[in-house]
Amino acid sequence: MKQLVILSGKGGTGKTSVAAAFAHLADADSLRAVLADADVDAANLELVLSPRVIEEHDFVGGSVAVIDPDLCNNCDTCIQVCRFDAISLSHHVDPIACDGCAACVYQCPTNAIRMEPQIAGRWFRSETRYGPLFHAALRPAQENSGKLVTLVKQQARLRALDENYPLVIVDGPPGIGCPVISAVSGADLALIVTEPTVAGIHDLERALQTTAHFRVPSFVCINKADVYPDGAAQIEAHCREHAIEIVGQIPFDPMVTEAMVNGAPVTAYRADAPASRALRAVWERVRARLENGQ
Amino acid sequence: MKIAVASGKGGTGKTTIATSLVLSLANVTPAPLFLDCDVEAPNAHLFLRPTFERRQEVGILIPRVDESKCTYCGKCAQVCQYHAIAVLGKKTLVFAQLCHGCGSCTLVCPERAISEVPDVMGVLEAGPARAGITFARGLLNIGEPMAVPVIRQLKKWIAPEPNQIVILDAPPGTSCPVVESVRGADFLLLVTEPTPFGLHDLRLAAQIARELKIPAGVVVNRDGIGDARVDAFCAAERLPILLRVPFDRALAEGIARGQTLVDIRPEYGARFRQIVAQIAHREVVR
Amino acid sequence: MKILITTVAPNLESEVDPRFGRGAYFLIVDPATLEWHAHPNPGVNASGGAGIQAAQFVVEQKVDAVISGDFGPNAFDALNAANIAMYLFGATRTVREAIERFQAGTLERVGAATPQRHV
């Protein structure tokens, strides 16, 4: 069983559009895949895969401190101890600022503080026309998105192992911090979707450094490639220097948005669109690498 | 006045809007302060071109165990909510990357065997940028999981002058790094695109505004590429649409090269100044 | 002697689970008598610290050696600190095979953390 993670560094380069296309193309090739949407902050894969939710669960992220005013003796120890500015002068804990460290609980001389688990979101096991999808929604302003990513991926992985799916496709989050690190963990291959803009190039370098740090072999594909040909050339040069293969270039194509508006992967919506043909070529290369290690 | 620019969905144009907004205000006195809070993948420097004159490493305090005093009682491991300190046999190990720097283990150790040492996670940088703007940003080290401590310290590191307008460029998403970036702002400008992904994530971003009780308005970027559902949502939620930037390939190409919206279409400068005036006079809040 | 093997299912016929911190089950077995019992991995869904939780479990169970597919840096440091030997499955597929190869001394012993860091 192999895990492919789709990353970008910069947001909005087209990870989800690529992931959705791969889900469709894998299915069309009879390559059974489990899908995982690891962008739990802004989970968009479901918008183009029309999932049918089979089961859903609460996700308990961490806990927050709650102070019982009847037991509180106003000594202010908790305020002094808290490093997250989460406790007001009137000894009320701000649940958004609270990091869940429980330092105040252990230091409170009157045991006036307890930790309350927070339901930080929900996770789902769904079926789509291309295979099972595991996804989640973190409540806005919550922490522990890395933990929820790990849970979603773990569920996808176990399902793939249990039922002999050869592939797990993980639609990753933007950035390089803990949700991305969680998404990258266990991946056999990372496909970094970039765009040929100054921002895209800058963030591609950070994304590549991140996958290198965690020793995940990486490919790059350039999306909206024709918007700035100089930028595409810069990316090609950078990748050559670092011996990273560019597996394809996808032209800017309004059909991608039209497909999204119609709730479908672009390759399923309009197979002969320029972006669809380019995505097919990228998929072939990625698939060959996953299957043969070449 | 602090205006934070956020979005939910990545790639909608936060940095495009935030950098154009700050450039539009460059003739105000004092010149505005720009904070790039996207410490994982900062981009604003590519458009505002700062010269960094101040630099400071940042991190959190992590525990260091004096093994000569440690009795392996395990109390530190019991209280740690992050599995960042563990007693294994006759060793007490600290896992720096898991540590949140809360200090709890240090406080509970009955032998006072734990002291705290700085663990560097990133760097803060500041200096003058184009048009006299003061620029500051944080950069998270590769492989470090936590952006929040870097963002938190960035905001403390640079104190705005009296009457200085502060523009904060938030990271994408809706979880703790975004909250840390926008917390304390007077107004939240939410940048979206008129597509299903844009709408889905705008809903989440609007919830953050509600949770944090920060008044918000919307900028619809790449207007025209999708459909009208974002407009309908904003109307239903009474979220004012303060600006529409129509999709324009020439704009996309200019931004790709490192130009901002106001570099390519200077007429937007007046529109941004108008929006700031509306925000300042609370005309925007419905 | 007690060894711990990470497994996909809680029995001797199960396939081995290649990842230590996130293995589905921990199967503890006396390789000489084949007496065994299995536990679900308490840290399987943990973010950060799964390897450490797993290592702490191993220590509590007073296991002498662990066999898995790979050990992330945190798990490695933790098990090393507790002087618990770590072995890799290599091409082994089932728990029984893993036990046989352990007894035969043909499993590779780990000296340093295997490449991928796990969160």
Side-chain angles (χ1 to χ4, degrees), chain A residues 170-188:
Chain A
V170 180
D171 183 10
I176 60 162
C178 72
V180 171
I181 295 172
S182 294
V184 162
S185 168
D188 296 286

Side-chain angles (χ1 to χ4, degrees), chain B residues 5-67:
Chain B
V5 182
S7 68
K9 184 181 187 327
T12 53
K14 285 177 294 313
T15 300
T16 298
I17 297 299
T19 53
S20 293
L21 180 57
V22 80
L23 284 170
S24 307
L25 299 170
N27 291 328
V28 163
T29 307
L33 168 63
F34 188 94
L35 292 183
D36 190 347
C37 298
D38 186 354
V39 303
E40 295 180 33
N43 289 323
H45 64 287
L46 300 165
F47 301 93
L48 296 178
R49 302 194 263 284
T51 308
F52 291 128
E53 295 176 344
R54 290 174 57 191
R55 235 178 146 265
Q56 183 171 295
E57 286 192 324
V58 285
I60 54 171
L61 293 173
I62 63 169
R64 177 160 59 195
V65 180
D66 180 348
E67 299 258 6

Side-chain angles (χ1 to χ4, degrees), chain B:
Chain B
M1 175 170 57
K2 299 189 183 125
I3 302 175
V5 182
S7 68
K9 184 181 187 327
T12 53
K14 285 177 294 313
T15 300
T16 298
I17 297 299
T19 53
S20 293
L21 180 57
V22 80
L23 284 170
S24 307
L25 299 170
N27 291 328
V28 163
T29 307
L33 168 63
F34 188 94
L35 292 183
D36 190 347
C37 298
D38 186 354
V39 303
E40 295 180 33
N43 289 323
H45 64 287
L46 300 165
F47 301 93
L48 296 178
R49 302 194 263 284
T51 308
F52 291 128
E53 295 176 344
R54 290 174 57 191
R55 235 178 146 265
Q56 183 171 295
E57 286 192 324
V58 285
I60 54 171
L61 293 173
I62 63 169
R64 177 160 59 195
V65 180
D66 180 348
E67 299 258 6
S68 68
K69 293 186 183 152
C70 178
T71 60
Y72 312 110
C73 70
K75 193 91 171 67
C76 54
Q78 271 171 43
V79 305
C80 180
Q81 304 293 305
Y82 313 105
H83 300 286
I85 186 165
V87 175
L88 285 315
K90 285 272 176 270
K91 294 226 178 81
T92 304
L93 296 185
V94 173
F95 297 94
Q97 305 237 316
L98 303 179
C99 178
H100 283 218
C102 72
S104 193
C105 58
T106 307
L107 292 169
V108 300
C109 175
E111 311 302 324
R112 294 181 187 261
I114 304 179
S115 59
E116 293 188 282
V117 293
D119 184 53
V120 175
M121 303 164 55
V123 66
L124 304 178
E125 298 172 307
R130 292 171 60 181
I133 292 160
T134 305
F135 183 100
R137 74 163 187 189
L139 193 63
L140 183 69
N141 289 347
I142 300 292
E144 284 288 343
M146 293 191 295
V148 167
V150 179
I151 301 169
R152 181 181 296 130
Q153 290 181 56
L154 171 65
K155 292 170 74 176
K156 288 184 180 164
W157 188 52
I158 299 274
E161 297 171 39
N163 297 326
Q164 187 174 36
I165 299 177
V166 183
I167 306 294
L168 300 114
D169 188 4
T174 56
S175 63
C176 43
V178 175
V179 171
E180 193 62 42
S181 303
V182 309
R183 191 206 307 278
D186 299 297
F187 194 83
L188 197 45
L189 208 49
L190 298 175
V191 184
T192 188
E193 57 176 48
T195 65
F197 290 7
L199 172 60
H200 179 273
D201 302 347
L202 175 64
R203 279 183 207 279
L204 301 170
Q207 275 188 56
I208 292 196
R210 271 198 294 278
E211 291 254 3
L212 296 181
K213 303 195 180 32
I214 304 176
V218 171
V219 172
V220 181
N221 196 11
R222 297 197 196 100
D223 200 19
I225 63 168
D227 62 15
R229 282 178 272 179
V230 162
D231 283 9
F233 170 75
C234 291
E237 296 292 310
R238 297 161 71 76
L239 269 172
I241 295 179
L242 298 177
L243 182 66
R244 290 178 195 278
V245 181
F247 174 76
D248 179 345
R249 180 134 176 167
L251 268 179
E253 289 173 358
I255 291 165
R257 275 195 292 278
Q259 297 178 290
T260 69
L261 174 57
V262 291
D263 288 331
I264 306 161
R265 301 262 188 277
E267 61 270 25
Y268 276 96
R271 191 73 195 91
F272 281 117
R273 283 189 287 280
Q274 201 181 352
I275 290 168
V276 174
Q278 281 178 275
I279 294 171
H281 296 116
R282 299 188 199 288
E283 285 165 23
V284 174
V285 182
R286 288 191 184 174

